């Protein structure tokens, strides 16, 4: 079979489809130089690779602003900066801490000059707590610093010996256990681990007993304090001591002068002593009874005396005991108005007494003396001859609400 049937005449040309009416939009537009150098008669040049379009950020006003990336942005393991109060000393220069992380230190210089970017130094980081200061000494490298003193330091060895302490402070600050007040750090977290429930139940009884003991002790202290306050309110002591002595007749000088004669063994009606007065008169005093005479210590023939000086005492009844003292005007007024008066002896006994105001008391009060002499009379038999020479204190007391 002749294969010419399948042959094409030279004049016959294969039909080609018409090009599409729609023109494709190029992904990347040609540049002006490419359009200029293109010649339809020549082969089409290869199309360049598409170039990414970089869009600059625009400000709210519409103007384009360039924002340079920070120098330390490339650290993929950078930790967050925290506002923890601290201070830094680097190469003798002091800095006030602005923020800190496990990688960097941001601080503000308070004094000194610039250290120079890229230099390495040993830093002293101080965290001030309420009662102590935690200091770390890592090696740091200066990342940046400006003339205003704002500096950034990078830890050269972030996993060094300072890491456990610094990590604990950072984690505690993040967890809320640390509170910053006026540049100080206070710990507010738990101080002891929680106890198991069984152990807590075992201690509940002890805590209850301890609470009851504290309550009982508090009540006791309140009672003691109340009794002390009541005693201070209702009780007062006189300043001068009380003297217990035998009751007798006291013989005093009636004028200033010199004793010219003294006879303690004189009988009734005889001259007991004589005083040559400064006025030139001789004053003789006779013995009133056949009684015991006790001469005052320091009195003898030739002794000069003043008016009212005690020369001797005549004891009529040797068993009679008397107590006397100097009492304040305020205390005398309280005793006269019904306050209870007790005489507290130095042997521990407390004897109720009655205050007797004599003529000497009235005279001293009229003269305006602050303290006046009074006599104290106790119940019969309360004081004996064994109490002679003992001292005591005078105590005044009144009932509650002044009754």
């Amino acid at each position: 079979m002749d294969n010419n049937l399948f042959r094409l005449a030279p004049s016959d040309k294969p039909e080609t489809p018409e090009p599409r009416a729609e023109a494709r939009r190029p992904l990347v537009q040609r540049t002006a130089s490419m359009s200029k150098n293109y010649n339809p008669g020549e082969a089409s040049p290869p199309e360049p690779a598409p170039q990414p379009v970089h869009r600059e950020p625009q400000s709210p006003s519409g103007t384009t602003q360039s924002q340079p990336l920070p120098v330390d942005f490339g650290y993929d393991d950078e930790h967050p900066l925290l506002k923890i109060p601290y201070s830094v000393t680097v190469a003798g220069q002091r800095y006030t801490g602005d923020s800190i992380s496990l990688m960097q230190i941001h601080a503000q210089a308070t004094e000194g000059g610039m250290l120079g970017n890229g230099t390495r130094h040993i830093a002293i980081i101080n965290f001030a707590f309420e009662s102590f200061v935690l200091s770390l000494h890592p090696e740091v490298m200066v990342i940046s610093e400006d003339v205003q003193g704002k500096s950034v330091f990078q830890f050269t060895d972030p996993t060094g010996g300072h890491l456990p302490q610094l990590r604990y402070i950072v984690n505690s600050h993040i967890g809320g256990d640390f509170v910053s007040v006026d540049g100080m750090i206070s710990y507010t977290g738990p101080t002891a681990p929680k106890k198991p429930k069984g152990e807590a139940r075992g201690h509940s009884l002890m805590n209850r007993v301890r609470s009851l003991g504290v309550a009982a002790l508090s009540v006791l202290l309140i009672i003691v304090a109340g009794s002390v306050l009541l005693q201070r309110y209702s009780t007062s002591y006189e300043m001068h001591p009380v003297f217990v002595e035998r009751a007798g007749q006291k013989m005093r000088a009636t004028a200033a002068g010199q004793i010219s004669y003294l006879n303690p063994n004189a009988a009734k009606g005889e001259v007991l002593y004589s005083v040559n007065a400064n006025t030139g008169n001789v004053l003789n005093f006779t013995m009133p009874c056949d009684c015991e005479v006790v001469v005052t210590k320091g009195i003898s023939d030739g002794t000069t005396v003043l008016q009212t000086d005690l020369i001797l005492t005549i004891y009529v009844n040797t068993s009679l005991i008397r107590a006397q003292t100097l009492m304040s005007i305020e205390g005398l007024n309280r005793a006269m108005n019904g306050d209870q008066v007790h005489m507290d002896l130095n042997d521990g006994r407390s004897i109720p007494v009655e205050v007797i105001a004599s003529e000497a008391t009235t005279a001293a009060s009229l003269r305006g003396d602050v303290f006046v002499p009074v006599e104290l009379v106790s119940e019969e038999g309360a004081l004996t001859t064994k109490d002679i020479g003992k001292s005591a204190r005078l105590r005044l007391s009144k009932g509650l609400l002044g009754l």
Side-chain angles (χ1 to χ4, degrees), residues 208-225:
R208 186 171 301 176
V209 173
R210 188 182 296 109
S211 301
L212 293 177
V214 172
L217 181 60
S218 301
V219 172
L220 179 61
L221 291 177
I222 292 174
I223 294 175
V224 172

Side-chain angles (χ1 to χ4, degrees), residues 101-212:
S101 69
L102 298 181
M103 300 293 293
Q104 289 187 354
I105 299 174
H106 290 225
Q108 179 68 38
T110 57
E111 60 181 14
M114 301 179 67
L115 301 176
N117 294 341
T119 57
R120 296 190 176 190
H121 308 275
I122 298 296
I124 302 176
I125 308 174
N126 294 323
F127 296 93
F129 290 81
E130 293 181 352
S131 59
F132 65 96
V133 176
L134 175 62
S135 297
L136 304 178
H137 301 75
E139 183 183 15
V140 297
M141 180 176 63
V142 181
I143 298 299
S144 65
E145 57 183 349
D146 53 17
V147 294
Q148 286 78 16
K150 187 175 182 179
S151 305
V152 178
F153 301 93
Q154 181 81 26
F155 290 108
T156 57
D157 185 10
T159 60
H162 68 283
L163 178 61
Q165 293 82 4
L166 181 58
R167 182 171 54 190
Y168 179 79
I169 293 177
V170 170
N171 293 340
S172 299
H173 181 79
I174 295 174
D177 293 340
F178 286 168
V179 177
S180 303
V181 179
D182 295 335
M184 303 291 291
I185 302 177
S186 300
Y187 181 73
T188 59
T191 58
K194 295 183 179 180
K195 297 181 179 180
K197 293 183 178 180
E199 185 178 356
R201 292 178 181 176
H203 289 283
S204 60
L205 180 60
M206 297 180 59
N207 294 335
R208 186 171 301 176
V209 173
R210 188 182 296 109
S211 301
L212 293 177

Side-chain angles (χ1 to χ4, degrees), residues 37 52 58 66 120 140 145 159 283 295 320 322 350:
N37 297 328
Q58 295 184 354
S66 59
R120 296 190 176 190
V140 297
E145 57 183 349
T159 60
L283 305 177
V295 181
L320 186 61
R322 181 180 64 179
S350 180

Side-chain angles (χ1 to χ4, degrees), residues 58-116:
Q58 295 184 354
S59 63
S61 60
T63 59
T64 302
Q65 295 180 354
S66 59
Q67 296 182 356
L69 296 177
V71 178
D72 54 350
F73 184 77
Y75 292 98
D76 55 352
D77 57 348
E78 175 66 29
H79 291 255
L81 293 169
L82 301 177
K83 297 286 185 178
I84 303 177
Y86 69 96
S87 60
V88 185
T89 302
V90 181
Q93 299 186 21
R94 298 180 180 179
Y95 297 82
T96 300
D98 183 19
S99 57
I100 190 172
S101 69
L102 298 181
M103 300 293 293
Q104 289 187 354
I105 299 174
H106 290 225
Q108 179 68 38
T110 57
E111 60 181 14
M114 301 179 67
L115 301 176

